[in-house]
Amino acid sequence: MKLNKLFYIGILLGGSFITSCSDFFDTYPKDQLSPSTFWKTESDAQQAATACYNYWTDWRQQGAIIFYEDIMSDIAYNYTRTQNYAYVGNGTPSASHAVRYYDYTTVARCNLFLENIDNVPFSSEVVKKDLIAQVRTIRAWAYFRLCYWYGGVPLITTSMETAEEAQLPRNSESEVQQFVFSELDKAIADINDAPAERGRIAKGTALAIKMRANLYWGNYQDALTTARQIVALGQYELDPDFLGMFNIAGQGSKEIIYAEQHVKDTYSYSNVIRMFNNEDGGWASWVPTMNLVNMFEMSNGMMPEEEGSGYDPIHPYANRDPRLANTVVYPGQDWMGKNGKMRVINTVDATINGEKNYDYYLAADNASKTGLIFAKYAAPISQYSTALNNDNLCPIIFRYAEVLLTIAECDVELNQNLDEALDLIDQLRTRGGMIKVNRSKYDTQDKIRTLVRRERTIELAGEGFRRQDITRWKNENNQLVANDVMKDLYRMIGTIDYSQKDPSMRFVQTLPTEANKADRLIEPRTFSDYQRYLPIPQAEMDKNPKLTQTQGYD
């Protein structure tokens, strides 16, 4: 995809979306090209489709949603309240502190494309159908996200020439869901099996959206069928180098179904700075929590709290599932810093050799308050620009591991093929160096469900799945799992023993029973069932008097 054209074409198709709130749906600005001057050639159509791709996975965050969205769950945290995700995480979202997902920019661009595409002559009907299918898929994704986060939303499928025309009430949740699946089915029928060029949507991506939508909305049989269709394409496989696929050098991994594309200097990714800790000049905007660490088994396959597991609370990172070190950068690990020097990660001591420790969790606002950062995408830091804001990082939106986890979850929820579910989990575990599941221990549907949910969280941590999972999963009392896990957030405190050669033994924890609770507490957290959905930002409510606020936020 020719990403350098996106800014020009973005102005052509969406200049009005960028310049003014009052004319949000005025799609034919007087100072821009109009349908009478543009929709003439196949090249015009290709460029218009490219404009629909401009940050299509999320208009506001240029693909950073995969990092930000876990902040709204128990496994990640943000201190600075960036983009209001932290308010959802701690249970205090409101119309004035709302995550800004309520955005029709991408929808409007797709509507304009689909309205005008038949005016363009194509040399090949196959090419035309594929291009239309790509845009339908993008519009379906936009409505899938709007519907999951807000429930029923206005279903706008044609261009609106005035702001007044766009003042529409919500459609029902089921109506939007039906539209999403209808769009995807039309797209899947016509879309290419493989992308014409890197960055284009092909059948695997359209199927992945359909799979995820069915899973999130509880249609397990349809989710399973769709996941198997992705497997049947024969295009994807697990990457033996788990961390490698998240690096710039690993962007050709066969595990990746779709990644949002970025090109340094031209269409760069500017949020790398948010990944790293203070010592490396980062902002630590999305960081993992001890809740995530506690989900990892011991290397013997037992949970830390199980009798005989071998867990040592003084050295909580020792003898753990090896995948922990590939997911979380924890205190005591060796780390090659931005300055090109190796250091021991120390986020728990205020000073080191009498000098200020800039990684200490209270050293600055941009020091990780949990004492942790995510390992995915992080190492080596040398792959990124000096300022950590002009990079060709391509956030992975869909990858094959999600497909296998979906099959496993559907097998469990349908109470069928439980051995297959365990086999798939074993593939993910052994890929990361972990032993296979003890099948004498996980021998019932309920126990396997617990395992699959935990493995899904571990495998996809830091990729934006956890909030959606805990707001769709139910516990044994038929309540949302979020009620169980969205509790007060704590950190581990202690010191680093530099005499230890084993990185997993360097952190020496001050036991919670002996530590000051105020030192351990990061923030209080709550959850109420109405927070399954998000509040619509007050600015959007003000623009549309026919729009009702999400129930619970009135």
Side-chain angles (χ1 to χ4, degrees), residues 187-230:
I188 291 166
D190 292 332
I191 205 163
N192 288 346
D193 284 355
E197 54 186 332
R198 180 171 166 173
R200 289 287 187 186
I201 292 169
K203 192 168 298 246
T205 302
L207 288 169
I209 296 172
K210 183 180 179 181
M211 174 192 72
R212 192 182 293 183
N214 273 307
L215 183 71
Y216 282 9
W217 287 328
N219 307 322
Y220 294 112
Q221 186 57 61
D222 290 339
L224 179 62
T225 299
T226 309
R228 294 198 191 283
Q229 289 174 331
I230 297 173

Side-chain angles (χ1 to χ4, degrees), residues 169-185:
R170 292 178 183 248
N171 287 75
S172 70
E173 189 169 7
S174 62
E175 286 174 328
V176 182
Q177 290 178 6
Q178 290 171 16
F179 176 77
V180 168
F181 289 126
S182 173
E183 286 288 277
L184 289 171
D185 286 341

Side-chain angles (χ1 to χ4, degrees), residues 216-389:
Y216 282 9
W217 287 328
N219 307 322
Y220 294 112
Q221 186 57 61
D222 290 339
L224 179 62
T225 299
T226 309
R228 294 198 191 283
Q229 289 174 331
I230 297 173
V231 174
L233 291 174
Q235 297 180 19
Y236 312 107
E237 60 187 44
L238 292 182
D239 193 325
D241 184 1
F242 178 75
L243 282 181
M245 83 173 109
F246 298 100
N247 289 344
I248 291 174
Q251 290 176 353
S253 171
K254 293 188 71 175
E255 185 164 339
I256 299 172
I257 298 174
Y258 190 88
E260 183 176 284
Q261 300 299 297
H262 292 277
V263 177
K264 187 175 182 178
D265 297 326
T266 302
Y267 192 68
S268 63
Y269 186 82
S270 61
N271 274 314
V272 166
I273 196 169
R274 298 184 183 277
M275 297 180 182
F276 296 99
N277 215 338
N278 190 31
E279 178 72 20
D280 291 310
W283 297 350
S285 294
W286 45 70
V287 295
T289 67
M290 287 309 304
N291 295 328
L292 175 59
V293 171
N294 292 338
M295 292 183 190
F296 285 84
E297 298 172 350
M298 304 300 291
S299 59
N300 60 14
M302 300 179 72
M303 293 301 294
E305 64 271 16
E306 290 185 71
E307 185 178 354
S309 70
Y311 177 70
D312 177 5
I314 302 296
H315 300 102
Y317 299 109
N319 301 313
R320 300 297 289 271
D321 179 342
R323 294 176 296 170
L324 174 57
N326 283 338
T327 306
V328 175
V329 179
Y330 54 76
Q333 285 183 298
D334 295 314
W335 176 261
M336 181 65 74
K338 186 179 177 182
N339 60 5
K341 297 180 180 179
M342 186 69 73
R343 72 177 188 269
V344 172
I345 290 293
N346 185 344
T347 56
V348 293
D349 291 307
T351 61
I352 301 174
N353 296 326
E355 297 184 3
K356 181 177 179 179
N357 174 15
Y358 289 93
D359 273 344
Y360 178 55
Y361 61 82
L362 295 180
D365 284 350
N366 57 320
S368 170
K369 296 298 177 283
T370 67
L372 312 167
I373 65 170
F374 281 107
K376 294 172 181 174
Y377 298 98
I381 194 172
S382 60
Q383 68 186 307
Y384 298 120
S385 61
T386 302
L388 304 176
N389 65 357

Side-chain angles (χ1 to χ4, degrees), residues 72 83-86 88 94 97-102 150 534-535 537:
M72 301 188 288
Q83 300 294 330
N84 294 327
Y85 291 93
V88 183
S94 65
H97 291 110
V99 175
R100 298 180 66 186
Y101 286 158
Y102 192 87
Y150 298 105
L534 298 178

Side-chain angles (χ1 to χ4, degrees), residues 215 219-228 404-425 439 442-446 448-449 452:
L215 183 71
N219 307 322
Y220 294 112
Q221 186 57 61
D222 290 339
L224 179 62
T225 299
T226 309
R228 294 198 191 283
L404 302 185
L405 286 161
T406 298
I407 294 173
E409 181 175 344
C410 292
D411 281 343
V412 172
E413 296 307 322
L414 296 169
N415 200 18
Q416 63 184 29
N417 300 325
L418 297 183
D419 283 338
E420 178 186 49
L422 293 172
D423 288 342
L424 294 172
I425 295 301
R439 301 200 180 202
Y442 295 97
D443 57 357
T444 67
Q445 181 190 23
D446 286 343
I448 298 173
R449 176 185 289 116
V452 168

